[in-house]
Amino acid sequence: MPSDAEILIVDDHQGTLYALESALAPLGYPLGRATSGDEALKQVLRGRVGLLLLDLRAPGADGLEVVRYLRRLEQTQHIPVVLLTGFGADQDLAGAAYRLGVADLITKPVDPYILRTKIRYLYDAHRHRLALEAEIRELRALVKDPGPGDPPPRVPIQRDPGTPAPAREAT
């Protein structure tokens, strides 16, 4: 995820888009918008989206269809998705959404404070996770397997400072 990855807000009602952007603007993260599931997929596949705030009943591909598609692709399977619904709590819908790996399901109307809190946490956690994965890749590259004639890498033994070193045997 690039450092300037945006939070993509997807809803087909301009008033709802404006309200959600206004609620999230104080976070200072880049925001994007889409008015359909198909448009959202195109933007996500460009690789600039760090979190998706998606209306369940978006025109074109609906919210669950978009999530199903994202979860099948390696480059998009870990993008946090928050689904928005105006139809109240539905256990079957919630179960289907969470089985697909949706981070949260929020009913409209949305409390701006709660929305900001959840989005900040999910966006930052995703960003930190990606940074850790990049660091792991770098470390693995540094400690790659030695060739047939190369000695194995030496890894210093780390001991608790309060533990004495073992006695050496006399030879």
Side-chain angles (χ1 to χ4, degrees), residues 1-6 29-30 48 123 127:
M1 174 169 94
S3 61
D4 62 343
E6 65 186 19
Y29 301 137
R48 311 268 330 147
Y123 186 84
R127 202 168 49 185

Side-chain angles (χ1 to χ4, degrees), residues 18 23 29 38 48-49 55 60 83-84 87 92 104-105 110 114 138 140 156:
Y18 177 75
Y29 301 137
D38 298 328
R48 311 268 330 147
V49 175
D55 184 18
L83 285 178
L84 296 168
F87 297 101
D92 293 333
D104 206 350
L105 183 65
V110 175
I114 291 172
E138 290 173 14
R140 284 186 177 149

Side-chain angles (χ1 to χ4, degrees), residues 49-60:
V49 175
L51 185 139
L52 192 58
L53 182 58
L54 177 63
D55 184 18
L56 182 65
R57 303 286 182 220

Side-chain angles (χ1 to χ4, degrees), residues 125-159:
H126 182 58
R127 202 168 49 185
H128 291 305
R129 179 181 171 276
L130 292 176
L132 287 172
E133 286 176 356
E135 188 174 345
I136 288 169
R137 282 191 301 275
E138 290 173 14
L139 290 172
R140 284 186 177 149
L142 290 174
V143 188
K144 57 185 171 186
D145 292 309
D150 296 334
R154 291 196 47 150
V155 178
I157 298 172
Q158 296 181 1
R159 291 191 177 86

